Amino acid sequence: MGTPYYKRLCSDNLSVVARQIRFLEKLLRQFQKRQTPYMTYELTEEQRAFADSVRRFAEAHLAAGAIERAHNPRFPSDVAQLLAKQGLLGIAFDEKDGGQGGTLMDSIIAIEQIAAVCPRSADVVQAGNFGPIRTFVEYASSEQKRRFLPDLLAGRICISLGMTEPDAGSALTELKTSARQDGDHYVVNGTKIFGTHSPDASVFLVYVRFGPGVNGIGSVLVERGTPGFTVGTPSPFMSGEEWSQLYFEDCRIPAENVLLGIGGFKKQIAGFNVERLGNSSRSLALGRFAFEVAREHALIRKQFGRPLCEFQGLQWKFADMALKLETAQLLLYRAARVTDGLPAAFDTALAKLACNQAGFDVSNDAIQIMGGAGYSQESLVEYCMRRTRGWMIAGGSTEILKNRIAEHIFERRFDQRGAQIRAAE
Ligand SMILES: Cc1cc2nc3c(=O)[nH]c(=O)nc-3n(C[C@H](O)[C@H](O)[C@H](O)COP(=O)(O)OP(=O)(O)OC[C@H]3O[C@@H](n4cnc5c(N)ncnc54)[C@H](O)[C@@H]3O)c2cc1C
């Protein structure tokens, strides 16, 4: 006689429940392992003092002319020189490289405080701390640093990143621009598009292909005026800022201009996480700028005999906007609080996604709250909306960031390429 049916059922059920509990315990253990330890994101006393001093400097020197700067398509090199004198370029770079020996958080605080007064000038903090200059400082030889850093950190020249190509945008590793060795030179051929500050840059950090595959990608430094290198006629982005197409036609550069050779791609992308945090900080800071302007407006502007802030429809909008700004701020500070090395890819992707979305949504809502005054080019709020829109595409689009986040969640890579392309390789 076998075990009675009801007993079998019971023991089966028990083993199912036990299995489920074991599974849940395993999940919990994995979850606990993945949890970031509790952290607070209050600024330290030193950081608050730094923030106050940057704000005072910005109010004294950048408040006047903020609107004109926002509508000027070209790089504000006068601001770059002013910020350099104030020690706001190279904030987190080593003192031996001519930097200030500060931290990534300090650079973010600088963006926040400058943008709160003059949104356009925050681009200069980006250019002097987070952009291609950051990758350059991370990987350049001492000779390369000696050649370019003094002028870059004094704001006398700026550097532009040549990464994107007509057929290689999100799929960056499909880039074709080649660098072929010829004795003690490299011969560069190809085209780059959309480079920030490209119409004004004196030196370009260009992603090139030394050989096949991802491993074949590295980068070189090309100076404006090098024979075979042409900077095209500037075209405007939606923000009003201009970019120029770059053409390399048998452009010969000395071997000393190689920044990262074969195998350099992964290092470059790791360095690029810093650029992403600069992009995130500006998005968030411009969202905050628009929020503050809309808040003031809602306190003062009266319709139907009442200030706008008394209408519940707008109060709820403000509450949603504040929620987006505050959550994005926490993610940004979490990603930026690396004590050494570069920020982690997952933290950076979450921060950029949240900041890009918050910056754009809040600026867009601010326009709506302010009506015609928000849509007018005199308020800077519409500028914040146009500007933050671009950062949802630049430096890793929101979709590409979500792909990266999903890879972290599932702890595996998801190849985005079609089966046909994979088969051809
Ligand atoms: C303001 C601004 C500044 C920029 N500055 C620079 C710069 O300094 N240097 C430089 O080299 N480039 C720069 N770029 C270019 C930028 O890096 C590219 O625009 C970006 O990588 C997207 O490439 P793409 O425009 O070719 O769009 P595509 O790659 O063609 O993508 C089009 C759309 O498809 C989506 N998509 C693509 N693949 C996937 C996928 N696998 N899953 C889900 N969605 C996908 C994208 O997210 C996007 O929405 C800048 C762009 C902007 C807007």
Side-chain angles (χ1 to χ4, degrees):
M1 230 173 61
T3 319
Y5 172 70
Y6 76 93
K7 275 202 170 169
R8 231 175 44 227
L9 190 65
C10 252
S11 77
D12 277 2
N13 272 350
L14 268 182
S15 72
V16 168
V17 171
R19 269 209 311 277
Q20 280 176 347
I21 288 172
R22 272 202 301 277
F23 177 66
L24 288 173
E25 281 171 350
K26 188 174 152 211
L27 276 187
L28 183 65
R29 275 197 304 278
Q30 279 175 359
F31 180 66
Q32 283 165 337
K33 246 187 9 209
R34 292 157 61 92
Q35 285 267 297
T36 308
Y38 174 75
M39 290 174 73
T40 57
Y41 298 104
E42 289 292 309
L43 296 188
T44 63
E45 214 168 291
E46 213 179 30
Q47 286 166 338
R48 272 202 302 275
F50 176 61
D52 289 345
S53 83
V54 177
R55 176 67 74 99
R56 280 197 301 277
F57 162 79
E59 277 162 0
H61 298 280
L62 299 171
I67 291 185
E68 291 74 15
R69 265 180 230 113
H71 297 299
N72 185 338
R74 304 304 283 270
F75 183 68
S77 47
D78 54 333
V79 174
Q81 285 170 32
L82 194 64
L83 295 191
K85 285 201 192 103
Q86 191 65 14
L88 294 175
L89 304 190
I91 295 169
F93 301 175
D94 255 356
E95 281 156 294
K96 69 174 165 38
D97 288 330
Q100 305 296 322
T103 63
L104 183 54
M105 265 300 289
D106 295 332
S107 321
I108 287 176
I109 289 169
I111 282 203
E112 290 175 344
Q113 297 305 323
I114 297 283
V117 176
C118 176
R120 175 69 168 135
S121 295
D123 294 342
V124 181
V125 185
Q126 167 87 13
N129 292 281
F130 295 88
I133 194 173
R134 183 66 179 78
T135 313
F136 175 81
V137 165
E138 192 73 25
Y139 302 116
S141 65
S142 40
E143 171 58 16
Q144 288 168 338
K145 288 182 184 174
R146 195 194 53 73
R147 273 167 67 202
F148 297 112
L149 263 186
D151 281 342
L152 285 168
L153 289 177
R156 284 190 289 273
I157 63 168
C158 77
I159 181 168
S160 178
L161 177 64
M163 197 170 64
T164 310
E165 298 182 0
D167 294 324
S170 303
L172 183 58
T173 53
E174 276 158 36
L175 66 87
K176 294 194 188 89
T177 298
S178 59
R180 176 180 50 82
Q181 188 156 19
D182 181 21
D184 54 4
H185 279 71
Y186 281 84
V187 183
V188 182
N189 278 289
T191 303
K192 297 286 178 183
I193 55 173
F194 298 152
T196 299
H197 308 318
S198 45
D200 297 301
S202 302
V203 58
F204 296 78
L205 195 168
V206 184
Y207 280 36
V208 291
R209 183 168 285 297
F210 293 105
V214 174
N215 215 33
I217 300 174
S219 56
V220 295
L221 301 162
V222 185
E223 287 172 83
R224 186 183 283 264
T226 306
F229 172 40
T230 312
V231 180
T233 313
S235 330
F237 279 128
M238 173 181 168
S239 60
E241 199 194 4
E242 290 181 340
W243 64 275
S244 289
Q245 188 151 345
L246 310 180
Y247 304 92
F248 302 93
E249 289 161 314
D250 289 332
C251 170
R252 287 174 71 80
I253 53 159
E256 305 91 80
N257 281 23
V258 172
L259 181 70
L260 281 166
I262 287 199
F265 184 72
K266 285 201 176 120
K267 283 187 181 170
Q268 273 162 190
I269 290 297
F272 197 61
N273 280 331
V274 178
E275 165 137 17
R276 285 183 167 163
L277 288 186
N279 172 313
S280 314
S281 316
R282 280 183 300 162
S283 293
L284 188 59
L286 266 59
R288 273 199 192 284
F289 183 97
F291 180 87
E292 290 303 330
V293 176
R295 194 186 80 89
E296 288 300 309
H297 186 84
L299 283 166
I300 294 162
R301 166 84 173 160
K302 283 190 177 154
Q303 286 295 282
F304 301 99
R306 305 166 74 186
L308 294 181
C309 67
E310 289 187 7
F311 297 119
Q312 193 182 50
L314 297 189
Q315 290 170 0
W316 286 10
K317 216 183 246 307
F318 274 105
D320 289 339
M321 291 155 80
L323 177 66
K324 285 179 186 167
L325 293 174
E326 295 308 319
T327 47
Q329 186 83 65
L330 293 178
L331 288 170
L332 173 63
Y333 283 178
R334 186 178 79 162
R337 290 208 166 191
V338 276
T339 42
D340 58 3
L342 297 169
F346 174 64
D347 291 350
T348 304
L350 280 179
K352 184 172 185 291
L353 185 57
C355 291
N356 287 166
Q357 202 64 61
F360 176 72
D361 289 352
V362 171
S363 313
N364 200 23
D365 283 344
I367 295 178
Q368 193 65 20
I369 288 164
M370 293 177 65
Y375 194 60
S376 157
Q377 293 215 320
E378 275 143 33
S379 74
L380 274 181
V381 168
E382 62 78 41
Y383 169 77
C384 290
M385 187 275 277
R386 286 184 287 118
R387 198 78 177 90
T388 50
R389 187 65 188 87
W391 294 325
M392 296 167 85
I393 299 167
S397 68
T398 45
E399 292 79 13
I400 294 300
L401 295 171
K402 286 180 188 175
N403 292 346
R404 184 71 196 78
I405 292 166
E407 289 187 338
H408 182 91
I409 292 169
F410 293 106
E411 296 177 350
R412 51 166 287 205
R413 256 204 98 235
F414 295 109
D415 195 343
Q416 304 293 315
R417 312 170 106 215
Q420 270 177 333
I421 297 174
R422 276 199 305 271
E425 284 178 348

